[in-house]
Amino acid sequence: MHPYFVVLFMTFGVLLLIFLWILYNSRKRRRIILKKIRRLYGQVPEREYSPGDIEAVSHYFRRKTGEAFYIDDITWNDLDMDRIFMLINQTVSSPGEDVLYSMLRIPLFDRAEIEKREKLICFFAENHQKREKMQILLSSVGKTWHGSLSDTILALEEAPQVNTGLHWAMLVLLILNLAALPFAPVYGFLSFIILGTVNIVFYYTGKDRIKIEAYLDCFSSLLKMLSLAEKTGTVDWPETKAHMEKIRQGRLAFRSMKKRAFFLTGKNNATGDPSQLLLDYLRMVFHLDILVYNSILKEVKGKTGEIIEILDALGELDAVIAVASFREMLPLWSCPEFTEWNSGHIRLLAEDMYHPLIRNPVANSIQMEKGILVTGSNASGKSTFLKNLAVNSVLAQTVLTCTCSSYRAPFLKVMTSMALRDDLSGGESYFIVEIKSLKRILDESRKEEPLLCIIDEVLRGTNTIERIAASSRILGVLDKPWILSAAATHDIELSYILSKKYENYHFEEEIQDDQVVFNYLLQHGRTTTRNAIRLLGVLGYDDMIVKEAARAAADFEKTGIWKA
């Protein structure tokens, strides 16, 4: 047999084996993904986060902030919303992760948008086969190594062009070598090995590749997203029609680069697609990605809007599936009911409300028609209750899932001032940080729009006299028809000063057999117990300290004068 045919048959056999190997691995990968999807749905997410992961994911949200109200950084950090995000984040793709985070930070204030999101969540919750099909499709994008997919893709706007002359010359030599292979198989094969080796070394050490390496990675992320966008064309469900149309419109902007884009890649191949491994070798030898880089870059620049449209649509599909999984995981949840608000009356009702981050939580109910003041000792549950109230209000207008048996309220803006710290980098004391935090709430309160504001220990950074004087006036200003304010305090005096404006609640503890016992149940009225000094004795403080402290407190209550 002529050597030409031997080489031809051998090449065909190798290609057939490679094709079968790719097919086998693709089916195997699909089975593995499906098994994982089924195992994790309705469970606590397994992902571990590295430092900076959440910050990177937040970049997509920060691109979307405009004049619309969003959960600001102080409120987000006060409520430990990073952990709430991690608890809900059962997404399988980077767009889903980006959009879920953004969803939690931008509450909805429109009933039509609420209904659309709820309909989509319920659709995937009730149709597991379609949900799994969508998750398998979304997993083909995977999660980028760089935190936010939007950062990766939109970096292409700043990408430089390269000089491809030498790369074209090397490609021509390789093609000529392959053309001569049938006429001199041995020498042709050896020369091809030499040329290929030189090209591979040049590929990794040449300044052109080094210059654009990070941007090739960005292209890889974009192409995986566009490939997913094309695959979703097979989805024909009425419930996702609007999303599919957005994806189709966005995809049209990139239709002319489809064939050339096949040759591009980067190292960000988190999906493990075996066909990409084969293409990597071809790119190393023939420099195909570098050769098409400039022309495809021209196609991408200036299309940020289309990229965001596709990312939005794909990400929301993944995010609402994560919300459906979150609901499945919860022992008790309810859809919020949004009431109309008129300028004369505002009301919030939450029954059996518990905090989603606490194991074995204690549920409490609350009905607010004006501000509330919560008193009680440290660790009795005041701050946790207030955070729980704010968290549920945020979840109500974002993922439409409250951790309570029922939630009824108008659309609310939520702002808090709770877990504050000294600003060491800015050189500001705790008190300065605190009054700035309160000022932003007071500024927002001037707008006649429903507002829920949560404050923990008003002005704790200053002395007792000034704290009571100023905090009573600040809380008094927040007594407005469009505001629901809730504050925790140790200053019992405030409960008397504000008794006509604020309703009093408290948490209490018991001392049983020298043990402090908290029941974490919200009680109506102001606290009547004073166990702080007694707790010193329970925890082993010297008897002299405990007795002298009790005597000094009793003397002050009688005379109004502190004695040494």
Side-chain angles (χ1 to χ4, degrees), residues 282-333:
L282 294 176
R283 291 170 188 120
M284 284 188 286
V285 175
F286 296 101
H287 297 198
L288 300 176
D289 48 356
I290 299 175
L291 293 173
V292 300
Y293 170 84
N294 286 341
S295 62
I296 296 181
L297 184 61
K298 291 179 182 177
E299 293 285 337
V300 172
K301 284 197 172 184
K303 294 180 178 175
T304 298
E306 290 83 352
I307 290 172
I308 292 296
E309 278 289 299
I310 297 173
L311 198 150
D312 257 341
L314 291 172
E316 187 172 7
L317 293 171
D318 199 2
V320 296
I321 291 174
V323 175
S325 175
F326 176 58
R327 290 180 173 183
E328 187 75 15
M329 177 186 70
L330 294 172
L332 174 71
W333 66 274

Side-chain angles (χ1 to χ4, degrees), residues 484-504:
L484 289 173
S485 56
T489 183
H490 284 99
D491 297 319
I492 301 299
E493 295 87 344
L494 284 177
S495 68
Y496 291 95
I497 296 171
L498 298 169
S499 61
K500 293 182 179 180
K501 296 181 178 181
Y502 281 72
E503 195 166 1
N504 285 298

Side-chain angles (χ1 to χ4, degrees), residues 47 50-63 94 97-98 101 144-152:
R47 174 175 173 177
S50 302
D53 281 355
I54 303 295
E55 172 59 30
V57 170
S58 75
H59 294 172
Y60 177 72
F61 149 74
R62 298 189 190 281
R63 285 190 172 91
S94 188
E97 197 165 58
D98 288 351
Y101 182 93
T144 176
W145 296 349
H146 304 295
S148 171
L149 186 67
S150 62
D151 283 352
T152 306

Side-chain angles (χ1 to χ4, degrees), residues 431-491:
F431 182 66
I432 297 298
V433 171
E434 185 179 22
I435 60 176
K436 285 184 175 181
S437 174
L438 291 170
K439 177 66 163 52
R440 82 191 209 289
I441 294 177
L442 292 173
D443 290 343
E444 189 67 36
S445 72
R446 295 190 181 98
K447 304 172 185 177
E448 294 192 15
E449 299 169 348
L451 170 68
L452 173 66
C453 55
I454 307 291
I455 305 172
D456 191 12
E457 295 297 334
V458 193
L459 300 179
R460 75 176 75 179
T462 190
N463 63 78
T464 304
I465 295 173
E466 290 184 297
R467 180 175 65 247
I468 294 173
S471 59
S472 63
R473 270 50 183 183
I474 290 171
L475 292 174
V477 167
L478 293 175
D479 177 39
K480 293 177 178 176
W482 57 90
I483 298 175
L484 289 173
S485 56
T489 183
H490 284 99
D491 297 319

Side-chain angles (χ1 to χ4, degrees), residues 310-375:
I310 297 173
L311 198 150
D312 257 341
L314 291 172
E316 187 172 7
L317 293 171
D318 199 2
V320 296
I321 291 174
V323 175
S325 175
F326 176 58
R327 290 180 173 183
E328 187 75 15
M329 177 186 70
L330 294 172
L332 174 71
W333 66 274
S334 63
C335 286
E337 180 183 344
F338 297 105
T339 57
E340 295 296 332
W341 173 75
N342 60 64
S343 58
H345 186 69
I346 186 168
R347 184 169 183 259
L348 180 152
L349 173 64
E351 296 182 346
D352 306 315
M353 184 175 60
Y354 67 95
H355 199 295
L357 294 178
I358 296 177
R359 290 185 179 180
N360 303 316
V362 175
N364 281 294
S365 300
I366 186 70
Q367 179 174 312
M368 293 179 66
E369 299 190 41
K370 61 179 182 178
I372 64 171
L373 203 60
V374 185
T375 52

Side-chain angles (χ1 to χ4, degrees), residues 177 188-198:
N177 183 271
F189 181 74
L190 289 174
S191 61
F192 180 80
I193 294 295
I194 294 170
L195 282 172
T197 303
V198 170

